[in-house]
Amino acid sequence: MSGQPNDQKSDPTPPPFDPSKPSVPISYPIKTLEDLENGSYYKSFHYPFNKTSVPLRPNTGLAQRPRVLVCHDMQGGYVDDKWIQGGENSGAYAIWHWYLIDVFVYFSHYLVTLPPPCWTNTAHTHGVKVLGTFIVEGEEGTATCNKMLSTKESAHKYAELLVELAVALGFDGWLVHNMLLIQSQSQRYDSVTIDGTLSWQNQLNEENKPFFDISDGIFVNYLWEKDDPKLSATVAGDRKLDVYMGIDVFGRGTYGGGQWTTNVALEVIKKDDVSAAIFAPGWVYETKQPPDFQTAQNRWWSLVEKSWGIVQNYPKTLPFYSNFDQGRGNHISVDGAQVLSTQWNNISSQTFQPFLEYVDDSTSKTIEVRVDFKEASFNGGGNITFKGTLEAGASFSTRLFSGQLLTGPLPIYFTYSVKSEGNSHLGLSLELSSETEGKKKLFLASQGTNQFSSEVLLPRRLTTPDNAPGWVMQEVSIAMNGYTLTEIHAVCYKQQPEITNTTEYFAVLGDIKISTSSKNTEFPPSTSWIVNGQDIEWGTSQGSKTLSLKISWKPEDEKGPLFPKYNIYVEKLSKQSIRTLRGTLESVREYIGVAHIEAFYVSQLVIPSDTSSLKFIIQVCNVDGASQNLDDAPFFQLDVQSSTNILSLLFGCLPSLVKNIIAYL
């Protein structure tokens, strides 16, 4: 450090976080009332990156039935999920049982806890509302309350500031803890009573009902007794569904003990016709429940499903797409070709999650079914792997999705990718229902289907990319006007008679798409985008040149279509073009990340010494899983600063430097 004696070691502590300076985009809370009031968050370099890219589906109101609210409180928040463009920990915490959730709260003990956009993106994809947290605690909290509530106008002002934040970032409201805000669209926590005392009531009663009356709901503290849900329902009257009885998954005095007996409390709450608020489901992750996180997570959420049932249905609208990505993994693929072979995590990358049923006794299943991160993926970093034993003529079926998709007069197209070994075959079973025609089953399978009694539709085989070896893409259309698609199952089967004597079964389902057209997605040409580079900073690291910059893009036509995802690549073009008989040899396109808004920050990209320019390619991806051809994608090209230029700049400074030294002497 400047000014230190030569024998003193430099301070290893990093400099204080300065949100105004360009750096790898992160999510962070607002810690003081002053920062909330002066709007400094909106001036942050990180602010635009924190906006959600997935709006909540239109008309997604809270259902008129008992609901499930999940409050995520883990390690103080902002752990792996703070890295907006993704991190490097494939073991990062994630939730993928969104079909069991109505409302998601991102909770921490900062004054204003803003949900990282990854949570809002995936929750909104699945039809789940997202709340941030406003909390005041201790002596500092008392001072904050005194200032906020000094006048009615002041209370209104701060409530409006919180509403503006939620609107600007794209989440849906607030959990307000330990105080009352006037006219705030909020979920109220059971803490302060009407006389201003911090006293948990563990039920809705006359001590806290005035707060309940001016908010969207109340989160009842988790130390309630067996009769409290029923008593709270009586006090709430017509609004009993807005009473959320708390359950602490860690089991700290919670009814039923939480943990692996969380279902005890859920069943009492459901019976008394109020809603549930599940606090800290990250217990499974934090306490390292055996045998591994994915298995333990599936087992724990199966308790919720058995006690409460499914609360979200999809597909509901078209197009519908899933590559079964959980937002973490060990590789990433695009159209069957692997583009990344290292660990990563990014919850924003989750697509619709399958409703896979958990079975306690694995020996009762002939086929093990799991979302897998090791087997090659067709798109993203996940897939569903089916592995086990199966006799010829036998079949195995498992639920993928529970839908509520009303079909119209036009046909709908099912497209799915499969990779299998030997005589292992994989098809899709569809369940549909009609008020006039009743229920109907359709089976989509390419061959060996004589053993199935339901109506069989034979898909056509699509052309797969040359760099996607082993993958087979199938497509079939159905015309079922007036029917509702209610279930999608995967069916494992073998041809009969058996070609080989083995009973081993192995198949991978890469992705599934349902759409109203068989045509390929048309993307805007590269010329229809405006692409810019900003905050360009050159540097060195371990003797190599580095580059950091922000790349942003937007359609030339402001009314152009918006896309949910962009894959970012870089071509490092050398100084001397290598030519062959066919022309210039193509440079390697290196995948460097994914963006869910129209901007991406490149941090300390290492540049080989023979590189003359860098071409950053923005591959546009559609909601139906389609990706633009890289040759047609928008790009930003930047000449690399040469060492000669840098030396010239240095030598140009020498005369004035020498002059200053002489003057000093």
Side-chain angles (χ1 to χ4, degrees):
M1 293 178 67
S2 177
Q4 284 187 327
N6 291 335
D7 60 347
Q8 183 176 335
K9 293 182 179 179
S10 62
D11 187 355
T13 304
F17 171 61
D18 184 350
S20 67
K21 292 183 177 179
S23 62
V24 177
I26 64 167
S27 295
Y28 62 95
I30 296 174
K31 299 180 180 180
T32 68
L33 203 58
E34 290 70 28
D35 284 342
L36 173 63
E37 186 174 6
N38 64 29
S40 60
Y41 182 82
Y42 297 107
K43 303 167 188 174
S44 165
F45 174 81
H46 304 264
Y47 162 60
F49 291 93
N50 275 276
K51 295 180 180 181
T52 180
S53 59
V54 182
L56 191 64
R57 288 197 302 259
N59 304 317
T60 305
L62 290 174
Q64 292 304 304
R65 52 157 176 74
R67 307 159 193 146
V68 175
L69 177 150
V70 169
C71 192
H72 174 58
D73 174 39
M74 196 180 78
Q75 301 172 348
Y78 304 103
V79 191
D80 290 296
D81 53 7
K82 75 178 178 182
W83 302 108
I84 296 172
Q85 294 179 170
E88 299 176 352
N89 177 18
S90 64
Y93 180 77
I95 288 176
W96 52 88
H97 295 82
W98 295 103
Y99 54 93
L100 304 174
I101 303 172
D102 291 289
V103 181
F104 176 82
V105 179
Y106 195 79
F107 180 87
S108 192
H109 290 273
Y110 300 104
L111 179 69
V112 180
T113 299
L114 301 167
C118 62
W119 288 109
T120 309
N121 285 339
T122 188
H124 280 183
T125 293
H126 293 88
V128 176
K129 290 193 171 186
V130 177
L131 308 181
T133 303
F134 182 87
I135 185 171
V136 290
E137 297 177 294
E139 293 182 4
E140 187 177 346
T142 301
T144 297
C145 285
N146 290 338
K147 182 176 181 179
M148 292 182 68
L149 304 179
S150 58
T151 65
K152 185 175 180 180
E153 290 72 24
S154 175
H156 273 288
K157 178 182 74 172
Y158 288 107
E160 288 169 359
L161 288 173
L162 289 175
V163 172
E164 288 171 8
L165 264 174
V167 171
L169 295 180
F171 60 93
D172 308 299
W174 296 94
L175 170 69
V176 179
H177 197 298
N178 287 1
M179 70 168 296
L180 170 66
L181 283 179
I182 300 173
Q183 291 186 356
S184 170
Q185 296 298 310
S186 62
Q187 177 81 31
R188 168 78 187 163
Y189 190 80
D190 166 30
S191 49
V192 179
T193 60
I194 55 174
D195 61 3
T197 304
L198 181 61
S199 176
W200 292 277
Q201 299 300 294
N202 305 310
Q203 62 175 228
L204 178 66
N205 57 28
E206 297 307 317
E207 294 294 320
N208 53 25
K209 188 173 182 293
F211 301 147
F212 171 72
D213 290 340
I214 61 168
S215 61
D216 297 324
I218 187 168
F219 184 146
V220 175
N221 191 46
Y222 49 75
L223 298 177
W224 51 270
E225 301 293 339
K226 186 175 182 179
D227 291 336
D228 288 330
K230 185 183 297 183
L231 294 171
S232 300
T234 301
V235 174
D238 292 342
R239 290 191 60 205
K240 62 183 179 181
L241 299 178
D242 297 330
V243 176
Y244 296 80
M245 304 300 296
I247 305 170
D248 180 15
V249 180
F250 276 81
R252 294 163 287 202
T254 202
Y255 182 82
Q259 302 183 12
W260 293 113
T261 54
T262 297
N263 55 305
V264 173
L266 284 170
E267 287 160 9
V268 170
I269 296 169
K270 184 79 177 287
K271 177 178 66 69
D272 291 334
D273 211 26
V274 289
S275 296
I278 300 173
F279 185 77
W283 168 81
V284 173
Y285 183 88
E286 289 192 70
T287 58
K288 296 179 171 61
Q289 292 296 302
D292 57 72
F293 171 52
Q294 188 177 5
T295 304
Q297 173 95 317
N298 289 336
R299 178 190 166 199
W300 188 87
W301 282 97
S302 74
L303 302 175
V304 179
E305 181 173 351
K306 289 174 184 175
S307 302
W308 208 268
I310 292 171
V311 302
Q312 301 284 354
N313 295 97
Y314 36 86
K316 278 187 175 181
T317 58
L318 296 181
F320 173 83
Y321 178 78
S322 179
N323 59 14
F324 318 113
D325 199 323
Q326 288 185 354
R328 58 201 185 99
N330 302 309
H331 64 267
I332 291 176
S333 296
V334 176
D335 294 332
Q338 188 167 292
V339 297
L340 183 74
S341 58
T342 58
Q343 291 191 29
W344 66 278
N345 65 276
N346 188 336
I347 299 173
S348 280
S349 294
Q350 280 192 7
T351 55
F352 282 101
Q353 293 299 297
F355 296 49
L356 297 182
E357 297 178 84
Y358 177 81
V359 178
D360 279 315
D361 181 13
S362 60
T363 60
S364 65
K365 297 191 299 180
T366 59
I367 302 291
E368 180 187 10
V369 184
R370 64 183 293 136
V371 172
D372 189 81
F373 308 126
K374 294 180 181 178
E375 293 298 330
S377 301
F378 188 77
N379 265 324
N383 54 67
I384 302 182
T385 298
F386 305 82
K387 185 177 182 180
T389 59
L390 201 62
E391 300 287 344
S395 64
F396 171 87
S397 176
T398 189
R399 179 186 68 190
L400 294 181
F401 298 104
S402 291
Q404 201 173 16
L405 177 66
L406 180 63
T407 60
L410 297 177
I412 58 175
Y413 294 82
F414 288 77
T415 309
Y416 55 101
S417 59
V418 175
K419 180 182 281 191
S420 61
E421 293 180 358
N423 194 31
S424 303
H425 297 288
L426 186 67
L428 298 178
S429 175
L430 312 179
E431 296 183 11
L432 304 103
S433 67
S434 164
E435 291 184 1
T436 56
E437 303 295 328
K439 293 184 178 181
K440 189 177 184 65
K441 278 192 176 185
L442 298 177
F443 185 47
L444 317 183
S446 57
Q447 53 185 314
T449 56
N450 295 334
Q451 67 260 43
F452 297 101
S453 57
S454 55
E455 183 178 337
V456 176
L457 298 179
L458 299 177
R460 68 186 183 99
R461 185 166 176 166
L462 302 180
T463 302
T464 53
D466 293 336
N467 55 2
W471 287 103
V472 175
M473 293 181 65
Q474 311 274 13
E475 184 177 83
V476 65
S477 65
I478 67 169
M480 300 291 293
N481 188 16
Y483 278 82
T484 298
L485 176 64
T486 57
E487 294 278 342
I488 303 175
H489 288 72
V491 181
C492 305
Y493 66 99
K494 287 198 166 192
Q495 269 187 293
Q496 191 178 21
E498 176 72 87
I499 296 176
T500 63
N501 294 324
T502 179
T503 61
E504 291 181 1
Y505 182 94
F506 180 83
V508 178
L509 182 61
D511 64 355
I512 180 173
K513 177 176 76 171
I514 311 174
S515 62
T516 55
S517 174
S518 62
K519 296 180 180 178
N520 293 331
T521 303
E522 291 188 10
F523 292 97
S526 61
T527 53
S528 66
W529 295 85
I530 300 172
V531 187
N532 292 306
Q534 303 162 291
D535 303 310
I536 298 172
E537 182 179 350
W538 301 95
T540 57
S541 176
Q542 298 180 345
S544 296
K545 189 178 298 181
T546 63
L547 169 67
S548 299
L549 82 160
K550 176 185 175 182
I551 306 167
S552 59
W553 55 92
K554 63 180 181 179
E556 199 169 42
D557 178 2
E558 295 276 341
K559 298 179 182 178
L562 295 177
F563 295 91
K565 185 174 111 173
Y566 306 87
N567 292 322
I568 312 299
Y569 300 79
V570 63
E571 281 187 21
K572 299 172 182 177
L573 304 171
S574 63
K575 295 175 182 177
Q576 295 179 345
S577 298
I578 303 173
R579 294 188 173 274
T580 66
L581 292 175
R582 296 184 179 180
T584 303
L585 191 67
E586 285 191 0
S587 301
V588 175
R589 288 163 173 167
E590 176 187 343
Y591 174 88
I592 57 174
V594 62
H596 294 273
I597 61 166
E598 285 72 45
F600 185 83
Y601 186 73
V602 180
S603 176
Q604 294 188 319
L605 178 71
V606 176
I607 305 168
S609 58
D610 65 341
T611 304
S612 62
S613 67
L614 299 165
K615 182 179 181 182
F616 295 96
I617 304 171
I618 300 124
Q619 184 180 39
V620 185
C621 303
N622 199 19
V623 68
D624 63 0
S627 303
Q628 187 175 26
N629 187 305
L630 288 177
D631 292 332
D632 303 325
F635 62 89
F636 174 73
Q637 193 152 341
L638 179 68
D639 288 338
V640 174
Q641 280 189 348
S642 67
S643 300
T644 304
N645 291 339
I646 295 173
L647 288 172
S648 297
L649 180 63
L650 177 61
F651 285 121
C653 295
L654 279 178
S656 61
L657 180 61
V658 171
K659 183 179 179 180
N660 288 335
I661 292 173
I662 293 172
Y664 177 77
L665 293 174

